[in-house]
């Protein structure tokens, strides 16, 4: 297998995912991708004909994000008709999976240069817009496995791990504080590209979701987001979501609903693109590689608790790279809910000082299909800023999956 090099990574700012209120809500998601691709091309005077394929993650592939958004975004960017594109959905891991798929083409020797990334316009195509829920409305499957909403799963994890409301609010406040420092020090400038409107005026050039100055006391005032949902009689015999989860995990006895809008990931719009290439391609086109992909892995977990797989996926990726936990300088663990990075840190005995050092999705937002690619670029920028060498990026995924990728500077 050939080495796969990360030549560059760019992303849009993350805009609030509210129709008519977020700065990017007026921008078609195809255009978010198109601008990202063109920034990447302009930055390197890229020979667009040399790109073998573009792979993007996108979760809600309907309406403006339907009809293979990747191919349409390539056309919207005025790239050559010969450039192909495909769109993948691995729920919240889609953006990282797209990068990994794009890397596989190069590693196998079948391709020389690819782009992986992702997009999600949650203001225009809200979460759940595809109508399939987690089980795809398969009643036969539902009788076998009574999956619950992710928020219930996150609260179940917090309950089993003994994470209190104070624990998750403390983690969330720290995410906001770290993001505030990162923004003040302009730590995202290497990857961040502005988004322009159709009339050529600036729409957004910085992340819109963070709330600097948010304290644990502020967060403690918020009501649990999934308490009412947990009481909904949804089962075949009138069981509530909480009862369905407890039937699988009776040791929990009662689910402690600790997650709120303040300690869960923010709903935002955004896109990202990662340029990948072989050593020969980089030399031929005069692009200095920034890092290489050491390993990648996915793994499944029990689908009711659903969100515990980042630890196992990370360990599998480390094993494939013949590395240990201590070999990783920086960790990006997606903050879908505060309990997820807390559980992963505990499970793998990670030094918390190495995790999400510039804040995470609680502060910055989680544009579902784009987040994995954004986190990879954020990790790479931070490795260079601090002169460190290795990073591991991991995300929990709906349906009980996890994904992880290890990168190393060159």
């Amino acid at each position: 297998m050939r080495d796969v090099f990360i030549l560059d990574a760019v992303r849009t700012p993350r805009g609030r995912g509210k129709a008519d209120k977020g700065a990017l809500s007026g921008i078609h998601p195809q255009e978010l991708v198109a601008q990202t691709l063109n920034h990447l091309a302009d930055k390197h005077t890229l020979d667009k004909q040399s790109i073998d394929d573009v792979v993007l993650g996108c979760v809600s592939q309907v309406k403006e994000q339907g009809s293979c958004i990747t191919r349409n975004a390539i056309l919207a960017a005025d790239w050559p008709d010969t450039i192909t594109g495909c769109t993948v959905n691995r729920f919240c891991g889609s953006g990282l999976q797209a990068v990994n798929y794009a890397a596989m083409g190069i590693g196998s020797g079948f391709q020389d240069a690819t782009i992986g990334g992702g997009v999600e316009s949650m203001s225009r195509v809200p979460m759940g817009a595809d109508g399939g829920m987690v089980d795809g409305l398969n009643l036969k499957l539902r009788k076998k496995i009574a999956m619950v909403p992710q928020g219930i799963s996150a609260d179940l994890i917090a309950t089993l791990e003994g994470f209190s409301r104070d624990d998750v609010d403390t983690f969330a406040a720290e995410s906001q504080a770290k993001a505030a420092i990162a923004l003040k020090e302009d730590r995202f400038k290497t990857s961040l590209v502005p988004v322009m409107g159709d009339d050529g005026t600036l729409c957004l050039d910085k992340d819109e979701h963070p709330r600097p100055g948010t304290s644990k006391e502020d967060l403690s005032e918020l009501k649990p987001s999934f308490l009412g949902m947990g009481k909904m009689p949804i089962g075949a015999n009138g069981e509530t979501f909480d009862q369905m989860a407890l039937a699988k995990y009776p040791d929990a006895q009662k689910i402690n609903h600790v997650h709120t809008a303040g300690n869960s990931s923010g709903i935002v719009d955004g896109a990202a693109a990662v340029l990948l290439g072989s050593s020969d391609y980089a030399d031929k086109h005069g692009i200095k590689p920034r890092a290489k992909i050491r390993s990648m892995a996915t793994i499944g977990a029990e689908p009711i608790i659903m969100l515990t797989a980042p630890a196992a996926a990370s360990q599998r990726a480390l094993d494939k790279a013949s590395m240990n936990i201590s070999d990783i300088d920086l960790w990006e663990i997606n903050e879908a809910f505060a309990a997820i990075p807390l559980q992963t840190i505990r499970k793998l005995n990670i030094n918390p000082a190495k995790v999400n050092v510039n804040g995470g999705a609680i502060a910055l937002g989680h544009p579902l299909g784009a987040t994995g690619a954004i986190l990879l670029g954020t990790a790479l920028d931070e490795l260079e800023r601090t002169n460190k060498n290795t990073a591991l990026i991991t995300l929990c995924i709906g349906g009980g999956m996890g994904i992880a990728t290890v990168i190393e500077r060159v």
Side-chain angles (χ1 to χ4, degrees), residues 195-223:
V195 175
M196 312 302 288
D198 292 339
D199 60 358
T201 60
L202 176 67
C203 282
L204 191 65
D205 62 357
K206 62 182 179 181
D207 291 309
E208 193 178 27
H209 188 268
R211 293 173 173 82
T214 299
S215 68
K216 184 175 65 173
E217 290 71 30
D218 295 330
L219 294 170
S220 69
E221 299 296 321
L222 299 176
K223 295 181 179 180

Side-chain angles (χ1 to χ4, degrees), residues 108-240:
S108 67
F110 288 112
Q111 295 174 323
D112 296 308
T114 56
I115 292 173
V119 62
E120 206 80 35
S121 178
M122 301 180 76
S123 62
R124 298 170 75 101
V125 188
M127 188 162 43
D130 60 3
M133 299 180 68
V134 176
D135 61 14
L137 304 178
N138 182 346
L139 299 183
K140 185 176 180 180
L141 174 61
R142 194 172 295 176
K143 289 179 180 178
K144 293 180 182 178
I145 303 171
M147 285 184 275
V148 298
Q150 288 190 16
I152 304 295
S153 297
D155 284 340
L156 174 62
I157 292 168
T159 301
L160 293 171
E161 293 286 342
F163 298 140
S164 67
R165 174 67 185 269
D166 186 72
D167 292 331
V168 292
D169 281 349
T170 297
F171 183 90
E174 290 172 351
S175 180
Q176 292 282 0
K178 289 186 286 188
I181 293 170
L183 291 168
K184 183 178 181 180
E185 297 183 357
D186 209 11
R187 295 184 185 180
F188 302 132
K189 63 182 179 181
T190 302
S191 293
L192 199 64
V193 298
V195 175
M196 312 302 288
D198 292 339
D199 60 358
T201 60
L202 176 67
C203 282
L204 191 65
D205 62 357
K206 62 182 179 181
D207 291 309
E208 193 178 27
H209 188 268
R211 293 173 173 82
T214 299
S215 68
K216 184 175 65 173
E217 290 71 30
D218 295 330
L219 294 170
S220 69
E221 299 296 321
L222 299 176
K223 295 181 179 180
S225 296
F226 308 104
L227 178 61
M229 182 182 292
K231 295 178 180 178
M232 290 174 59
I234 200 74
N237 299 309
E239 305 97 329
T240 66

Side-chain angles (χ1 to χ4, degrees), residues 246-264:
L246 291 171
K248 182 69 176 180
Y249 294 91
D251 289 350
Q253 297 183 350
K254 179 184 177 181
I255 295 178
N256 185 19
H257 291 284
V258 298
H259 287 97
T260 69
N263 56 41
S264 305

